[in-house]
mmCIF file of all heavy atoms in Angstrom:
data_model
loop_
_atom_site.group_PDB
_atom_site.id
_atom_site.type_symbol
_atom_site.label_atom_id
_atom_site.label_comp_id
_atom_site.label_asym_id
_atom_site.label_seq_id
_atom_site.Cartn_x
_atom_site.Cartn_y
_atom_site.Cartn_z
ATOM 1 N N TYR A 18 -37.222 -29.334 26.362
ATOM 2 C CA TYR A 18 -37.346 -28.857 27.742
ATOM 3 C C TYR A 18 -35.952 -28.697 28.328
ATOM 4 O O TYR A 18 -35.122 -29.612 28.240
ATOM 5 C CB TYR A 18 -38.167 -29.842 28.573
ATOM 6 C CG TYR A 18 -39.604 -29.970 28.120
ATOM 7 C CD1 TYR A 18 -40.003 -31.036 27.312
ATOM 8 C CD2 TYR A 18 -40.554 -29.028 28.483
ATOM 9 C CE1 TYR A 18 -41.324 -31.155 26.883
ATOM 10 C CE2 TYR A 18 -41.879 -29.135 28.052
ATOM 11 C CZ TYR A 18 -42.252 -30.198 27.258
ATOM 12 O OH TYR A 18 -43.557 -30.308 26.823
ATOM 13 N N LEU A 19 -35.709 -27.537 28.914
ATOM 14 C CA LEU A 19 -34.405 -27.217 29.492
ATOM 15 C C LEU A 19 -34.549 -27.106 31.005
ATOM 16 O O LEU A 19 -35.371 -26.327 31.504
ATOM 17 C CB LEU A 19 -33.911 -25.888 28.918
ATOM 18 C CG LEU A 19 -32.462 -25.482 29.162
ATOM 19 C CD1 LEU A 19 -31.511 -26.452 28.452
ATOM 20 C CD2 LEU A 19 -32.228 -24.064 28.656
ATOM 21 N N ALA A 20 -33.761 -27.907 31.733
ATOM 22 C CA ALA A 20 -33.808 -27.893 33.190
ATOM 23 C C ALA A 20 -32.389 -27.993 33.732
ATOM 24 O O ALA A 20 -31.690 -28.972 33.463
ATOM 25 C CB ALA A 20 -34.654 -29.052 33.719
ATOM 26 N N GLU A 21 -31.961 -26.967 34.446
ATOM 27 C CA GLU A 21 -30.594 -26.881 34.950
ATOM 28 C C GLU A 21 -29.602 -27.123 33.803
ATOM 29 O O GLU A 21 -29.601 -26.392 32.831
ATOM 30 C CB GLU A 21 -30.393 -27.832 36.129
ATOM 31 C CG GLU A 21 -31.218 -27.433 37.351
ATOM 32 C CD GLU A 21 -30.901 -28.237 38.586
ATOM 33 O OE1 GLU A 21 -30.079 -29.177 38.537
ATOM 34 O OE2 GLU A 21 -31.493 -27.923 39.643
ATOM 35 N N TYR A 22 -28.795 -28.166 33.888
ATOM 36 C CA TYR A 22 -27.798 -28.419 32.841
ATOM 37 C C TYR A 22 -28.228 -29.552 31.912
ATOM 38 O O TYR A 22 -27.381 -30.200 31.288
ATOM 39 C CB TYR A 22 -26.445 -28.728 33.478
ATOM 40 C CG TYR A 22 -25.934 -27.590 34.317
ATOM 41 C CD1 TYR A 22 -25.987 -27.658 35.704
ATOM 42 C CD2 TYR A 22 -25.427 -26.431 33.724
ATOM 43 C CE1 TYR A 22 -25.537 -26.603 36.482
ATOM 44 C CE2 TYR A 22 -24.974 -25.366 34.486
ATOM 45 C CZ TYR A 22 -25.032 -25.462 35.866
ATOM 46 O OH TYR A 22 -24.593 -24.415 36.641
ATOM 47 N N SER A 23 -29.531 -29.764 31.791
ATOM 48 C CA SER A 23 -30.063 -30.867 30.992
ATOM 49 C C SER A 23 -31.012 -30.343 29.925
ATOM 50 O O SER A 23 -31.861 -29.496 30.195
ATOM 51 C CB SER A 23 -30.808 -31.856 31.895
ATOM 52 O OG SER A 23 -29.951 -32.397 32.879
ATOM 53 N N LEU A 24 -30.859 -30.869 28.719
ATOM 54 C CA LEU A 24 -31.733 -30.535 27.597
ATOM 55 C C LEU A 24 -32.425 -31.808 27.138
ATOM 56 O O LEU A 24 -31.767 -32.772 26.740
ATOM 57 C CB LEU A 24 -30.918 -29.944 26.446
ATOM 58 C CG LEU A 24 -31.668 -29.636 25.154
ATOM 59 C CD1 LEU A 24 -32.634 -28.478 25.364
ATOM 60 C CD2 LEU A 24 -30.689 -29.318 24.018
ATOM 61 N N PHE A 25 -33.745 -31.824 27.204
ATOM 62 C CA PHE A 25 -34.543 -32.969 26.781
ATOM 63 C C PHE A 25 -35.048 -32.644 25.370
ATOM 64 O O PHE A 25 -35.945 -31.822 25.196
ATOM 65 C CB PHE A 25 -35.682 -33.216 27.767
ATOM 66 C CG PHE A 25 -35.174 -33.481 29.163
ATOM 67 C CD1 PHE A 25 -34.930 -32.428 30.038
ATOM 68 C CD2 PHE A 25 -34.919 -34.767 29.588
ATOM 69 C CE1 PHE A 25 -34.446 -32.662 31.323
ATOM 70 C CE2 PHE A 25 -34.429 -35.022 30.865
ATOM 71 C CZ PHE A 25 -34.178 -33.970 31.728
ATOM 72 N N SER A 26 -34.455 -33.311 24.385
ATOM 73 C CA SER A 26 -34.580 -32.838 22.999
ATOM 74 C C SER A 26 -35.620 -33.574 22.166
ATOM 75 O O SER A 26 -35.806 -33.241 20.992
ATOM 76 C CB SER A 26 -33.221 -32.927 22.301
ATOM 77 O OG SER A 26 -32.772 -34.265 22.218
ATOM 78 N N GLY A 27 -36.292 -34.583 22.734
ATOM 79 C CA GLY A 27 -37.298 -35.298 21.959
ATOM 80 C C GLY A 27 -36.724 -35.818 20.653
ATOM 81 O O GLY A 27 -35.634 -36.391 20.623
ATOM 82 N N ASP A 28 -37.449 -35.609 19.562
ATOM 83 C CA ASP A 28 -36.986 -36.050 18.248
ATOM 84 C C ASP A 28 -36.456 -34.883 17.418
ATOM 85 O O ASP A 28 -36.477 -34.913 16.185
ATOM 86 C CB ASP A 28 -38.117 -36.753 17.494
ATOM 87 C CG ASP A 28 -38.381 -38.149 18.037
ATOM 88 O OD1 ASP A 28 -37.763 -38.523 19.056
ATOM 89 O OD2 ASP A 28 -39.225 -38.861 17.456
ATOM 90 N N THR A 29 -35.976 -33.844 18.098
ATOM 91 C CA THR A 29 -35.339 -32.734 17.395
ATOM 92 C C THR A 29 -33.857 -33.013 17.196
ATOM 93 O O THR A 29 -33.373 -33.067 16.067
ATOM 94 C CB THR A 29 -35.549 -31.410 18.155
ATOM 95 O OG1 THR A 29 -36.944 -31.109 18.210
ATOM 96 C CG2 THR A 29 -34.823 -30.262 17.452
ATOM 97 N N LEU A 30 -33.145 -33.210 18.282
ATOM 98 C CA LEU A 30 -31.698 -33.425 18.227
ATOM 99 C C LEU A 30 -31.353 -34.814 18.735
ATOM 100 O O LEU A 30 -31.748 -35.192 19.838
ATOM 101 C CB LEU A 30 -30.980 -32.371 19.077
ATOM 102 C CG LEU A 30 -29.460 -32.493 19.215
ATOM 103 C CD1 LEU A 30 -28.771 -32.387 17.856
ATOM 104 C CD2 LEU A 30 -28.931 -31.441 20.184
ATOM 105 N N PHE A 31 -30.630 -35.574 17.924
ATOM 106 C CA PHE A 31 -30.095 -36.879 18.307
ATOM 107 C C PHE A 31 -28.572 -36.804 18.318
ATOM 108 O O PHE A 31 -27.982 -35.842 17.831
ATOM 109 C CB PHE A 31 -30.524 -37.964 17.311
ATOM 110 C CG PHE A 31 -32.004 -38.198 17.238
ATOM 111 C CD1 PHE A 31 -32.625 -38.352 16.007
ATOM 112 C CD2 PHE A 31 -32.769 -38.290 18.384
ATOM 113 C CE1 PHE A 31 -33.996 -38.582 15.925
ATOM 114 C CE2 PHE A 31 -34.141 -38.523 18.310
ATOM 115 C CZ PHE A 31 -34.754 -38.669 17.078
ATOM 116 N N CYS A 32 -27.944 -37.847 18.833
ATOM 117 C CA CYS A 32 -26.500 -37.930 18.797
ATOM 118 C C CYS A 32 -26.044 -38.005 17.336
ATOM 119 O O CYS A 32 -26.361 -38.959 16.618
ATOM 120 C CB CYS A 32 -26.014 -39.150 19.572
ATOM 121 S SG CYS A 32 -24.212 -39.313 19.626
ATOM 122 N N CYS A 33 -25.361 -36.963 16.875
ATOM 123 C CA CYS A 33 -24.850 -36.851 15.499
ATOM 124 C C CYS A 33 -25.944 -36.947 14.439
ATOM 125 O O CYS A 33 -25.678 -37.348 13.299
ATOM 126 C CB CYS A 33 -23.763 -37.895 15.244
ATOM 127 S SG CYS A 33 -22.228 -37.533 16.127
ATOM 128 N N SER A 34 -27.159 -36.574 14.794
ATOM 129 C CA SER A 34 -28.253 -36.621 13.831
ATOM 130 C C SER A 34 -29.369 -35.698 14.298
ATOM 131 O O SER A 34 -29.223 -34.966 15.282
ATOM 132 C CB SER A 34 -28.757 -38.065 13.667
ATOM 133 O OG SER A 34 -29.676 -38.155 12.591
ATOM 134 N N CYS A 35 -30.488 -35.749 13.581
ATOM 135 C CA CYS A 35 -31.673 -34.990 13.982
ATOM 136 C C CYS A 35 -32.906 -35.764 13.541
ATOM 137 O O CYS A 35 -32.818 -36.766 12.834
ATOM 138 C CB CYS A 35 -31.667 -33.589 13.364
ATOM 139 S SG CYS A 35 -31.839 -33.550 11.572
ATOM 140 N N GLY A 36 -34.063 -35.298 13.960
ATOM 141 C CA GLY A 36 -35.304 -35.993 13.654
ATOM 142 C C GLY A 36 -35.705 -35.881 12.192
ATOM 143 O O GLY A 36 -35.288 -34.962 11.479
ATOM 144 N N ARG A 37 -36.527 -36.821 11.768
ATOM 145 C CA ARG A 37 -37.044 -36.801 10.404
ATOM 146 C C ARG A 37 -37.936 -35.586 10.184
ATOM 147 O O ARG A 37 -38.610 -35.112 11.094
ATOM 148 C CB ARG A 37 -37.840 -38.076 10.129
ATOM 149 C CG ARG A 37 -36.991 -39.317 10.080
ATOM 150 C CD ARG A 37 -37.822 -40.575 9.942
ATOM 151 N NE ARG A 37 -38.655 -40.568 8.735
ATOM 152 C CZ ARG A 37 -39.320 -41.627 8.285
ATOM 153 N NH1 ARG A 37 -39.249 -42.774 8.944
ATOM 154 N NH2 ARG A 37 -40.039 -41.537 7.175
ATOM 155 N N THR A 38 -37.963 -35.128 8.941
ATOM 156 C CA THR A 38 -38.788 -33.969 8.603
ATOM 157 C C THR A 38 -39.821 -34.293 7.525
ATOM 158 O O THR A 38 -40.487 -33.386 7.028
ATOM 159 C CB THR A 38 -37.903 -32.813 8.103
ATOM 160 O OG1 THR A 38 -37.148 -33.252 6.974
ATOM 161 C CG2 THR A 38 -36.950 -32.343 9.208
ATOM 162 N N ASP A 39 -39.965 -35.576 7.191
ATOM 163 C CA ASP A 39 -40.847 -35.954 6.086
ATOM 164 C C ASP A 39 -42.226 -36.396 6.554
ATOM 165 O O ASP A 39 -43.028 -36.855 5.742
ATOM 166 C CB ASP A 39 -40.209 -37.055 5.236
ATOM 167 C CG ASP A 39 -39.851 -38.301 6.032
ATOM 168 O OD1 ASP A 39 -39.688 -38.208 7.262
ATOM 169 O OD2 ASP A 39 -39.719 -39.375 5.416
ATOM 170 N N PHE A 40 -42.520 -36.251 7.842
ATOM 171 C CA PHE A 40 -43.861 -36.533 8.336
ATOM 172 C C PHE A 40 -44.732 -35.286 8.186
ATOM 173 O O PHE A 40 -44.206 -34.174 8.016
ATOM 174 C CB PHE A 40 -43.820 -36.949 9.809
ATOM 175 C CG PHE A 40 -43.139 -38.267 10.067
ATOM 176 C CD1 PHE A 40 -42.155 -38.370 11.034
ATOM 177 C CD2 PHE A 40 -43.484 -39.409 9.351
ATOM 178 C CE1 PHE A 40 -41.529 -39.576 11.292
ATOM 179 C CE2 PHE A 40 -42.870 -40.620 9.586
ATOM 180 C CZ PHE A 40 -41.887 -40.708 10.557
ATOM 181 N N PRO A 41 -46.063 -35.450 8.261
ATOM 182 C CA PRO A 41 -46.934 -34.279 8.198
ATOM 183 C C PRO A 41 -46.539 -33.225 9.226
ATOM 184 O O PRO A 41 -46.260 -33.551 10.380
ATOM 185 C CB PRO A 41 -48.327 -34.854 8.505
ATOM 186 C CG PRO A 41 -48.250 -36.261 8.000
ATOM 187 C CD PRO A 41 -46.844 -36.713 8.325
ATOM 188 N N SER A 42 -46.508 -31.991 8.811
ATOM 189 C CA SER A 42 -46.139 -30.785 9.562
ATOM 190 C C SER A 42 -44.642 -30.674 9.812
ATOM 191 O O SER A 42 -44.179 -29.719 10.443
ATOM 192 C CB SER A 42 -46.925 -30.640 10.879
ATOM 193 O OG SER A 42 -46.302 -31.306 11.962
ATOM 194 N N GLY A 43 -43.856 -31.615 9.302
ATOM 195 C CA GLY A 43 -42.402 -31.504 9.395
ATOM 196 C C GLY A 43 -41.864 -30.508 8.379
ATOM 197 O O GLY A 43 -42.505 -30.203 7.369
ATOM 198 N N SER A 44 -40.673 -30.001 8.639
ATOM 199 C CA SER A 44 -40.088 -28.992 7.754
ATOM 200 C C SER A 44 -38.573 -29.008 7.900
ATOM 201 O O SER A 44 -38.057 -28.849 9.017
ATOM 202 C CB SER A 44 -40.626 -27.600 8.099
ATOM 203 O OG SER A 44 -39.834 -26.584 7.527
ATOM 204 N N VAL A 45 -37.858 -29.165 6.775
ATOM 205 C CA VAL A 45 -36.397 -29.106 6.803
ATOM 206 C C VAL A 45 -35.933 -27.723 7.252
ATOM 207 O O VAL A 45 -35.033 -27.590 8.091
ATOM 208 C CB VAL A 45 -35.810 -29.432 5.414
ATOM 209 C CG1 VAL A 45 -34.305 -29.195 5.400
ATOM 210 C CG2 VAL A 45 -36.121 -30.871 5.028
ATOM 211 N N GLU A 46 -36.536 -26.687 6.707
ATOM 212 C CA GLU A 46 -36.134 -25.327 7.051
ATOM 213 C C GLU A 46 -36.323 -25.051 8.540
ATOM 214 O O GLU A 46 -35.431 -24.488 9.206
ATOM 215 C CB GLU A 46 -36.937 -24.318 6.231
ATOM 216 C CG GLU A 46 -36.559 -22.865 6.512
ATOM 217 C CD GLU A 46 -37.354 -21.872 5.678
ATOM 218 O OE1 GLU A 46 -38.215 -22.295 4.891
ATOM 219 O OE2 GLU A 46 -37.096 -20.658 5.835
#
């Protein structure tokens, strides 16, 4: 969710990392 100058990234983007892709419906690509 993008609001003004803020991005709420959930488990997509972390500080120097990203979310896991090995759960059901996850995808590295």
